[in-house]
Amino acid sequence: MKAIRIIRDEHRSIAAVLHGMLYLVREIGESGRKPDFNVLGAMIYYIDAVPERFHHPKEDKYLFALLRARYPAARPLLDRLAEEHRIGAEKIRTLEQALARYQQGGASEFPAFKAAVDAYAEFHWQHMRREEDEVMPLAEEHLTAGDWEAIDAAFAGHTDPLLGSEAGVEYDRLFSRIVNLAPPPIGLGPPR
Ligand SMILES: [Fe+2]
Ligand SMILES: [Fe+2]
């Protein structure tokens, strides 16, 4: 069940970016520090590209689809999570818009941006927690060895080039870029 490990790893990277973003925003709010729009922009781009375009589609197409077929009692839970994937895509647009307004409009737009960051992070944490605490145990119980082969192949990047290992390498690079841009203690970028 390579996929379970890959999903958890992808969740950890997403959580790291969400934590980093919350940290920077809190710092701006508390110390009045100047925002670094390069870092904030890279973080929001990552959240749009990785969970929304890379991670969730693999869950929907493989893990959720097979669990839905094998264990119909999980359908309400899977419906809810698939709906959250849809809502997440809308929320990321709100976040991008809030960042653009903050960048153009200045400090008066900061509270709305902060609220959008807080809301997105909270939403996404709850979502990942539900997947790890509720979906994974059901998947481990009800999916067959053949199901896991298909799911593992998809998550390891052998099934769909758009969701495959090359895309994964590109997203790892994006993650490294964020780490290199972000100031300590969340990254390795220049201290401010
Ligand atoms: Fe998900
Ligand atoms: Fe997930």
Side-chain angles (χ1 to χ4, degrees):
M1 298 175 201
K2 228 196 262 172
I4 296 263
R5 188 182 47 75
I6 297 173
I7 291 174
R8 284 189 205 278
D9 282 353
E10 290 180 0
H11 283 179
R12 294 296 85 83
S13 301
I14 295 164
V17 173
L18 292 174
H19 269 297
M21 199 158 62
L22 284 173
Y23 180 90
L24 291 181
V25 166
R26 200 178 316 125
E27 212 190 29
I28 295 166
E30 283 170 7
S31 67
R33 197 156 290 182
K34 272 187 76 174
D36 181 337
F37 287 110
N38 256 341
V39 183
L40 294 172
M43 286 172 158
I44 291 177
Y45 178 76
Y46 181 92
I47 290 170
D48 178 43
V50 179
E52 302 302 336
R53 283 191 264 151
F54 180 67
H55 177 84
H56 292 161
K58 290 188 293 188
E59 291 175 335
D60 282 330
K61 274 173 86 172
Y62 302 98
L63 179 65
F64 292 3
L66 284 164
L67 184 57
R68 194 179 279 279
R70 295 282 174 220
Y71 186 61
R75 284 180 190 169
L77 169 65
L78 297 172
D79 286 346
R80 178 177 180 182
L81 290 164
E83 174 68 3
E84 286 174 359
H85 287 173
R86 202 189 55 70
I87 294 171
E90 280 168 20
K91 283 189 184 291
I92 193 81
R93 300 282 92 81
T94 306
L95 198 52
E96 285 169 345
Q97 208 173 55
L99 178 72
R101 287 194 179 137
Y102 178 34
Q103 192 161 11
Q104 299 306 319
S108 65
E109 299 283 359
F110 176 70
F113 174 64
K114 183 180 187 301
V117 169
D118 289 346
Y120 187 88
E122 183 58 30
F123 165 80
H124 211 119
W125 266 317
Q126 302 274 3
H127 176 78
M128 294 192 289
R129 206 167 300 138
R130 252 191 292 283
E131 288 175 341
E132 295 201 14
D133 295 351
E134 298 179 44
V135 176
M136 286 185 191
L138 290 176
E140 282 173 310
E141 197 183 333
H142 297 284
L143 295 179
T144 66
D147 294 338
W148 282 113
E149 255 175 57
I151 296 168
D152 284 352
F155 274 87
H158 307 314
T159 309
D160 183 335
L162 279 178
L163 307 175
S165 43
E166 262 176 49
V169 169
E170 194 190 307
Y171 295 140
D172 285 346
R173 235 179 266 138
L174 189 56
F175 186 80
S176 304
R177 181 165 172 262
I178 292 170
V179 171
N180 287 317
L181 279 174
I186 57 161
L188 306 170
R192 288 184 294 144

